[in-house]
């Protein structure tokens, strides 16, 4: 009973002795462990605060990064947790998939960027060079180049095939919260604690221009699908839409009452999603600049939002230790992802051999015990 993806839902193991069982990725929903004796067995833990979410290009997987340094891969269709990727020793601020979906990149407070083989579920490389936490990572559309930004105020471009740093971009005077490639891969946009957004020429490494207007740190940036408009979210509670060709601010979106930690465009470019410290997600009609819908359900800051490739589903990660999947049209919360889905309805009444920490965790997961 130690392999992942095993489904033991509704089995009866009452009055048995279970030794050295790894139950962290086993579906135990409805399992009866009444009066079972456990010896050296391990269970999954509850999720920690979620800082980053990202859909795979085919929309079948969702990656999440948390404050425990763990990356989890979830099956979107049923909310099943498939893998837990371990390697970082600090908070995972950012996760992103390569265009072919075979590689995941992650940035962490441990100052490293890691690359992961999704099919095999292991780390295939660690990129070092930043001197402080890595807050954002983004793959170039060609899949060969990765960009990262850090609290150390720098941006680094990496050759992922050879695990080497191609270029370091300097210009921001504060930590760089967010960086992302334009759809054509020729331009970078970055947002910083220095309140500015900068545009960079990828080939030359030069800053093309700086965009100003926010009155506090810029924590998120996102390109429209056509590469003409840039959205930026700030701790000043606003979202700004800027035309990058004309160097002009098109609209300022007001409505959040807390810092805006995440912005993401729908695939059709008609809607912008924003996640905020006010615990809400807002969906904006970009053409009109109006808030079309406010999504309520999280009970703490919303740190990350991401659209599924078909534009039908929105994912959000929060400090409330949950990931939520939303119907983008109706605003209905479709699923709440958490580790305890594996243990829903499990009965451990009278079970022995569990540590106090395990008991506390299992109580938090809604199981039953004396």
């Amino acid at each position: 009973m130690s392999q992942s993806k095993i489904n033991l839902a509704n089995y009866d193991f009452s009055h048995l002795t279970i030794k050295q069982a790894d139950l962290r990725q086993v579906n135990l929903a409805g399992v009866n462990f009444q009066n079972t004796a456990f010896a050296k067995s391990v269970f999954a833990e509850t999720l920690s605060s979620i800082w980053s979410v990202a859909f795979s290009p085919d929309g079948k997987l969702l990656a999440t990064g948390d404050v425990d340094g763990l990356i989890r891969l979830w099956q979107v269709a049923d909310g099943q947790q498939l893998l837990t990727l371990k390697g970082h020793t600090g908070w995972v601020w950012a996760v992103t998939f390569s265009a072919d979906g075979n590689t995941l990149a992650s940035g962490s407070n441990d100052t490293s960027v890691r690359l992961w083989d999704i099919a095999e579920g292991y780390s295939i490389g660690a990129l070092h060079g930043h001197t402080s936490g890595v807050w954002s990572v983004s793959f170039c559309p060609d899949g060969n180049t990765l960009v990262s930004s850090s609290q150390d105020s720098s941006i680094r471009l990496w050759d992922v095939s050879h695990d080497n740093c191609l270029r370091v971009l300097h210009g921001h005077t504060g930590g760089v919260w967010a960086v992302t490639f334009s759809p054509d891969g020729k331009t970078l946009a970055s947002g910083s604690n220095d309140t500015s957004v900068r545009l960079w020429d990828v080939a030359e490494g030069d800053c093309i221009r700086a965009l100003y207007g926010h009155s506090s740190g810029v924590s998120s940036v996102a390109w429209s699908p056509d590469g003409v408009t840039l959205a930026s979210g700030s701790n000043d509670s606003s979202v700004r839409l800027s035309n990058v060709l004309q160097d002009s601010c098109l609209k300022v979106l007001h409505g959040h009452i807390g810092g805006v930690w995440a912005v993401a465009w729908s695939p059709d470019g008609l809607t912008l999603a924003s996640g905020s410290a006010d615990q809400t997600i807002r969906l904006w009609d970009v053409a009109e600049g109006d808030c079309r819908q406010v999504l309520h359900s999280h009970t703490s800051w919303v740190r990350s939002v991401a659209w599924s490739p078909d534009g039908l589903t929105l994912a959000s990660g929060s400090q409330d230790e949950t990931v939520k999947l939303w119907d983008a049209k109706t605003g209905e919360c479709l699923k709440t992802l958490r580790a305890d889905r594996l243990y829903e309805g499990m009965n451990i009444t009278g079970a022995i051999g569990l540590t106090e920490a395990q008991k506390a965790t299992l109580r938090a997961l809604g199981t039953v015990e004396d």
Side-chain angles (χ1 to χ4, degrees), residues 113 130 136-140 145-149 155-158 169 179-181 188:
V113 175
H130 285 296
S136 181
V137 289
S138 175
F139 269 106
C140 183
T145 307
L146 183 78
V147 65
S148 60
S149 68
I155 297 166
R156 287 178 174 259
L157 288 165
W158 307 88
L169 309 182
V179 64
T180 185
F181 280 96
L188 288 172

Side-chain angles (χ1 to χ4, degrees), residues 108-120:
S108 169
N109 222 41
D110 65 14
T111 76
S112 75
V113 175
R114 284 187 175 266
L115 302 173
W116 307 85
D117 183 302
I118 295 304
E120 299 298 328

